[in-house]
């Protein structure tokens, strides 16, 4: 099976799309083994080259190394997120520690670092262009941050820490995914689902059969704390069951309990941060983001949290007034009664909106239409090209000059083999060094409609579709030389910025009018409803901002612990409660968007650890940019070209905030964000 392994050579498909129709489970492990072995040999040759170090024989050579490993990693980790299986999970458990050790072998190679450091010391004399100079800057920074300057004894401990953390992250992610499947709320009578749409009830019936139940209905959980069905279910007892199942995930003492993993991860991260010269893990992670310091992040959050909580409490008073004396507002009541107030105050009913948001129309006549008008690109579906799952659809993207730009793969439906949430992956990064164009995947978790029925989206799902496509555009528009900088390979607290900007087109009049038509009658969404949607944009923002900030501050609480403080924590729920109280966001009826035990963003990987603040940090840039777009007339090609060429195309090839300043002409202002979220009065 290894002799014809598809990963051993570049794919011969358009855009080097992985040949998923020829990839078998047995191909992955041999490809990882060969990929790591080949890159180790390549790095050994770079480190031991007798000639003096040059930009080409060190940095360009490093960029060229590991091609087999890059190909198999991109395909494998996309599939384990989108369509996993016990066999794939077993391979993942084997491979992740090996990859951690492999990365350490490179980043802690003293011979290699000596050559990089020699180049860095003479960087002013090298006459490098902007992207090349930044490549040297980044390699040097990353090697230092990885521990290249530590002693041999410290290297031994660092390797142990990295290996265990990698294994724990995989274990945590698998446990969260398994508990999501195990924690569905089962009801026997359709009457208990009163309030849900017909297709949601049908999906619950299918979910029950998928679980092997002969009758009844199953409400599957999604990753965040809030479950969409809570907004519609009339039966308060079922709402309470659904909410309780959601918040107890990972902390109820069962086989999927993650609290022991959380404590171990937090302690190991604190130890590693100290070993690398930092006070705690948050200081280590944020130092390499655009925020630069924990103080800067906390200063921004301090401007938001008190106003958000105050707004949430006012919203809670409105809800309690609607409820009356029948009972006291609880978390499982919030979404349900919020929808009642939304209907009364703005005459907006989510159930009545859904017929206007049919998936195919939203995708083609909304998301693709906006991208075409703003950037001049177009999309052509390619059913002849293989994807990794029957649900995944491949589109070829053509540029503003009509030439080929890349591939976009949309995988929109939820399934048991897919992790929760929504995300974007690059299967092939753009790079002039290799002459590669981008291949990007968007994953969502939308419930499939019954056979023969159209898939209708909620307003939030429409927003998610536009958001994730913003990541796709960032990837597709990349125009960099080195693959290290391709597309979304930017600091974590910058990566959400372009995707959040793309959300503005969701309710832009010209775009909305093009896609929001009733799936049966073809009638457009009434203008009166559009106006009410726009009027309601700040509605419930106190809740939305508070639940987000609670998760953000919880993330920082865990990751600002010193080694000694982390060792002293033994009770995860108790620590969480205390942290929320101390941060001023312990609002009983507004739970965090993610509680610790299922906070996959920060514990099933390191990318968002001490970095969940990135969404609101990026939204400062986003809101400032949307103000500019609005002032300049919105959906105009000139503005699209300016944003694309001045920012999106740059990827990570320069300091991200310098790129922003060059694009915007100044530093970002926070006032547009405060106004958007209703946290200050608008003149």
């Amino acid at each position: 099976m290894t002799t014809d392994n598809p990963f051993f050579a570049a794919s011969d498909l358009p855009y080097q799309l992985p040949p998923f129709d020829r990839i078998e489970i047995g191909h992955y492990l041999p490809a990882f083994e060969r990929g790591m072995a080949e890159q180790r040999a390549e790095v050994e040759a770079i480190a031991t080259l007798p000639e003096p170090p040059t930009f080409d024989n060190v940095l360009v050579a490093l960029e060229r190394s590991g091609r087999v490993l890059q190909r198999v990693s991109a395909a494998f980790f996309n599939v384990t997120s989108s369509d996993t299986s016990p066999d794939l999970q077993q391979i993942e458990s084997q491979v992740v520690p090996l990859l951690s050790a492999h990365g350490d072998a490179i980043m802690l190679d003293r011979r290699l670092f000596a050559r990089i450091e020699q180049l860095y010391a003479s960087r002013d004399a090298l006459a490098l262009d902007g992207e090349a100079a930044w490549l040297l800057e980044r390699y040097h920074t990353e090697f230092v941050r990885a521990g290249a300057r530590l002693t041999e004894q410290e290297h031994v401990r660092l390797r142990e820490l990295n290996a265990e953390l990698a294994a724990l992250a995989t274990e945590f992610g698998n446990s969260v995914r398994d508990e999501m499947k195990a924690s569905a709320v089962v009801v026997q009578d359709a009457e208990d689902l009163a309030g849900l749409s017909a297709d949601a009830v049908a999906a619950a019936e299918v979910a029950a059969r998928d679980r092997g139940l002969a009758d009844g209905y199953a409400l599957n959980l999604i990753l965040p704390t809030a479950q969409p069905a809570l907004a519609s279910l009339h039966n308060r007892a079922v709402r309470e069951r659904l909410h309780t199942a959601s918040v107890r995930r990972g902390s109820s003492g069962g086989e999927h309990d993650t609290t022991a993993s959380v404590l171990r991860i937090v302690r190991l991260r604190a130890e590693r941060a100290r070993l690398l010269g930092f006070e705690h893990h948050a200081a280590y992670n944020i130092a390499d983001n655009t925020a630069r310091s924990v103080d800067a992040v906390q200063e921004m959050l301090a401007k938001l949290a008190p106003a958000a909580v105050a707004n949430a409490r006012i919203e809670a008073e409105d809800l309690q007034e609607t409820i009356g004396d029948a009972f006291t507002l609880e978390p499982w009541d919030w979404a349900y009664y919020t929808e009642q107030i939304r209907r009364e105050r703005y005459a907006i009913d989510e159930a009545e909106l859904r017929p206007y948001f049919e998936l195919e129309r939203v995708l083609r006549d909304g998301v693709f239409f906006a991208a075409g008008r703003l950037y001049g690109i177009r999309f052509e579906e390619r059913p002849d090209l293989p994807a990794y799952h029957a649900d995944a659809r491949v589109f070829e993207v053509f540029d503003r000059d009509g030439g080929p730009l890349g591939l976009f793969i949309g995988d929109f439906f939820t399934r048991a083999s897919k992790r929760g949430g929504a995300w974007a992956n690059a299967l092939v990064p753009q790079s002039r060094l290799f002459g590669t164009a981008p291949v990007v995947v968007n994953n969502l978790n939308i419930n499939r409609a019954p056979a023969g029925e159209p898939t209708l989206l909620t307003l939030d799902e429409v927003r998610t579709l536009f958001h994730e496509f913003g990541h796709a555009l960032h990837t597709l528009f990349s125009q960099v030389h080195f693959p290290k900088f391709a597309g979304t390979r930017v600091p974590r607290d910058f990566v959400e910025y372009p995707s959040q900007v793309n959300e503005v087109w969701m309710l832009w009049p010209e775009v909305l009018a093009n896609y929001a038509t009733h799936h049966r009658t073809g009638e457009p969404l009434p203008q009166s409803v559009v106006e009410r949607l726009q009027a309601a944009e700040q509605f419930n923002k106190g809740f939305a901002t508070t639940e987000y900030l609670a998760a953000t501050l919880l993330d920082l609480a865990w990751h600002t612990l010193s080694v000694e403080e982390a060792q002293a924590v033994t009770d995860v729920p108790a620590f969480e409660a205390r942290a929320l109280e101390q941060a001023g966001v312990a609002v009983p009826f507004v739970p965090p968007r993610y509680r610790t035990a299922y906070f996959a963003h920060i514990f099933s990987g390191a990318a968002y650890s001490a970095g969940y603040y990135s969404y609101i940090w990026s939204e400062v840039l986003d809101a400032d940019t949307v103000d500019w777009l609005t002032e300049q007339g919105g959906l105009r090609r000139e503005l699209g070209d300016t944003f694309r060429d001045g920012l999106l195309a740059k990827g990570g090839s320069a300091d991200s905030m310098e790129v922003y300043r060059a694009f915007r002409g100044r530093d970002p202002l926070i006032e547009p964000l405060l106004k958007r979220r209703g946290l200050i009065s608008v003149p």
Side-chain angles (χ1 to χ4, degrees):
M1 186 170 292
T2 61
T3 57
D4 61 348
N5 193 307
F7 294 113
F8 289 172
S11 170
D12 58 2
L13 291 175
Y15 304 93
Q16 296 187 21
L17 173 71
F20 289 110
D21 55 340
R22 295 190 288 114
I23 295 172
E24 301 173 12
I25 288 180
H27 289 136
Y28 287 116
L29 190 55
F32 273 115
E33 291 169 344
R34 176 180 285 196
M36 287 185 279
E38 284 187 359
Q39 190 172 34
R40 282 196 300 271
E42 291 162 340
V43 169
E44 181 68 18
I46 297 167
T48 59
L49 193 69
E51 289 83 2
T54 67
F55 182 81
D56 286 339
N57 70 23
V58 178
L59 300 184
V60 175
L62 282 172
E63 285 292 278
R64 290 187 178 279
S65 71
R67 302 301 294 151
V68 171
L69 186 57
Q70 187 278 326
R71 286 193 290 269
V72 66
S73 295
F76 178 78
F77 288 110
N78 180 78
V79 171
T80 55
S81 295
S82 305
D83 188 29
T84 195
S85 68
D87 288 341
L88 286 170
Q89 288 180 338
Q90 184 178 3
I91 295 171
E92 186 178 18
S93 297
Q94 287 180 261
V95 162
V96 166
L98 295 176
L99 288 173
S100 174
H102 175 72
D104 284 343
I106 295 172
M107 303 302 287
L108 302 180
D109 188 316
R110 295 188 184 282
R111 303 162 304 167
L112 179 59
F113 179 62
R115 293 175 72 80
I116 292 172
E117 192 145 48
Q118 189 174 339
L119 287 172
Y120 189 74
S122 60
R123 60 191 180 280
D124 293 339
L126 297 178
L128 301 175
D129 65 25
E131 186 175 341
W134 189 242
L135 186 72
L136 174 56
E137 181 74 32
R138 289 309 305 158
Y139 264 109
H140 185 263
T141 297
E142 288 171 10
F143 269 75
V144 171
R145 284 178 54 80
R149 287 176 171 164
L150 299 181
T151 66
E152 285 298 332
Q153 184 177 357
E154 289 169 332
H155 277 184
V156 171
R157 181 56 183 154
L158 184 59
R159 286 186 172 95
E160 293 171 349
L161 291 169
N162 288 340
E164 187 174 356
L165 281 167
L168 285 166
T170 300
E171 178 184 308
F172 183 95
N174 288 338
S175 293
V176 169
R177 182 165 44 214
D178 292 343
E179 177 131 17
M180 280 177 61
K181 288 188 283 186
S183 299
V185 172
V186 176
V187 299
Q188 292 302 313
D189 297 324
E191 291 180 1
D192 290 334
L193 300 182
L196 294 186
S197 62
D199 58 340
V201 173
E205 187 172 15
V206 170
R209 303 302 165 269
D210 289 344
R211 297 172 66 83
L213 301 176
D215 52 19
Y217 304 84
L219 296 173
N220 287 330
L221 301 184
I222 62 171
L223 192 57
T225 297
Q227 304 299 311
L230 292 174
S232 305
L233 284 166
H234 295 333
N235 188 315
R236 189 169 188 248
V238 176
R239 293 202 307 269
E240 181 178 3
R241 286 179 59 201
L242 185 59
H243 173 80
T244 302
S246 180
V247 298
R248 291 189 65 195
R249 282 177 289 178
S251 59
S252 57
E255 63 175 314
H256 305 306
D257 193 292
T258 62
T259 55
S261 294
V262 165
L263 293 175
R264 186 65 178 158
I265 289 169
V266 168
R267 291 165 184 167
L268 294 179
R269 284 176 176 171
E271 182 184 349
R272 183 176 61 183
R274 176 174 290 181
L275 186 62
L276 293 168
F278 290 84
E279 182 182 0
H280 40 59
H281 181 72
Y284 170 76
N285 256 17
I286 295 174
D288 203 38
N289 282 342
T290 65
R292 300 301 185 203
S293 72
V294 175
D295 286 347
V297 174
Q298 291 176 331
E299 180 181 349
M300 182 195 68
L301 297 179
K303 295 177 182 177
L304 303 176
V309 170
N311 285 9
R313 293 190 184 281
I314 293 171
E315 292 164 3
E317 291 172 4
D318 284 349
L319 296 177
Q320 189 65 63
E321 186 175 335
T322 299
I323 293 169
D325 298 329
F327 52 83
T328 301
L329 174 70
E330 296 287 354
W332 50 87
D333 300 314
W334 190 289
Y336 183 77
Y337 287 96
T338 290
E339 284 309 306
Q340 287 195 16
I341 293 176
R342 194 195 309 269
R343 285 194 296 270
E344 294 168 5
R345 190 172 297 172
Y346 301 102
I348 293 173
D349 186 336
E350 283 277 4
E352 293 178 3
L353 285 176
R354 292 180 71 238
Y356 294 91
F357 299 148
E358 191 268 322
L359 173 59
E360 196 67 14
R361 286 297 304 269
V362 176
L363 177 66
R364 291 186 180 274
D365 299 333
V367 173
F368 288 174
F369 170 78
R373 292 300 296 268
L374 191 63
Y375 303 112
I377 60 177
R378 66 180 181 87
F379 303 81
E380 180 180 311
E381 192 155 7
R382 293 289 304 270
D384 57 309
L385 294 179
Y388 53 87
H389 190 277
D391 288 345
R393 301 164 60 187
V394 183
F395 297 84
E396 186 168 10
V397 188
F398 295 92
D399 209 345
R400 52 194 170 192
D401 63 359
L405 181 62
L407 292 179
F408 167 73
I409 301 174
D411 185 357
F412 304 121
F413 296 118
T414 190
R415 51 182 174 266
S417 60
K418 183 189 283 191
R419 71 173 171 87
W423 67 95
N425 282 337
L427 291 175
V428 180
Q430 177 273 330
S431 164
R432 288 196 292 268
L433 181 67
F434 293 112
T436 52
V439 178
V440 61
V441 181
N442 273 180
N443 265 283
L444 277 74
N445 269 280
I446 298 167
N447 285 324
R448 185 195 302 278
E453 293 293 321
T455 297
L456 306 179
L457 308 185
T458 66
L459 194 64
D460 278 346
E461 287 169 337
V462 175
R463 181 175 291 106
T464 301
L465 197 58
F466 276 87
H467 176 97
E468 294 305 327
F469 195 72
H471 288 306
L473 290 173
H474 201 179
T475 301
L476 288 165
F477 289 154
S478 177
Q479 285 295 312
V480 301
H481 189 78
F482 300 108
K484 177 182 282 291
F485 300 138
T488 58
R489 296 177 178 181
V490 296
R492 178 55 54 190
D493 56 5
F494 196 82
V495 73
E496 298 297 338
Y497 155 50
S499 58
Q500 290 173 173
V501 168
N502 204 59
E503 293 178 30
V504 71
W505 309 120
M506 176 183 113
L507 292 180
W508 198 263
E510 182 181 351
V511 179
L512 189 66
N514 200 61
Y515 75 83
T517 59
H518 197 285
H519 73 98
R520 294 195 190 280
T521 68
E523 292 295 314
L525 187 67
Q527 181 59 32
S528 59
V529 177
V530 175
E531 291 170 358
R532 292 196 296 271
L533 279 174
Q534 292 167 340
E537 281 193 287
Q538 290 186 354
F539 178 70
N540 205 43
K541 284 294 188 184
F543 174 91
T545 307
T546 301
E547 68 152 4
Y548 165 76
L549 291 176
T552 298
L553 291 161
L554 186 58
D555 171 28
L556 289 176
W558 281 114
H559 290 118
T560 51
L561 295 175
S562 67
V563 171
E564 293 77 17
E565 290 168 338
Q567 289 290 343
V569 178
T570 58
D571 187 324
V572 169
F575 176 86
E576 178 179 291
R578 187 167 59 252
L580 295 173
E581 185 68 38
Q582 291 174 347
V585 289
V587 184
F589 33 75
V590 186
R593 183 175 296 176
Y594 299 98
R595 294 190 64 184
T596 300
Y598 51 90
F599 205 161
H601 276 75
I602 66 173
F603 291 121
S604 67
Y608 278 96
S609 60
Y612 197 64
Y613 76 90
S614 299
Y615 289 92
I616 201 85
W617 187 271
S618 293
E619 196 179 346
V620 173
L621 310 180
D622 149 38
D624 197 40
T625 299
V626 168
D627 264 17
W628 169 78
L629 285 166
T630 303
E631 291 164 2
Q632 299 299 316
L635 205 66
R636 295 171 45 216
R637 274 295 310 281
E638 309 94 280
L639 300 183
D641 289 345
T642 299
F643 188 52
R644 171 181 175 171
D645 298 334
L647 194 139
L648 299 177
K650 304 291 185 183
S653 62
D655 179 275
S656 292
M657 289 309 298
E658 290 300 323
V659 170
Y660 182 86
R661 292 184 188 101
F663 155 68
R664 192 70 174 92
R666 57 165 172 75
D667 285 332
L669 304 176
I670 196 172
E671 284 73 19
L673 168 67
L674 298 175
K675 291 177 183 178
R676 172 191 285 183
R677 288 185 171 256
L679 299 181
I680 60 173
S681 61
V682 182

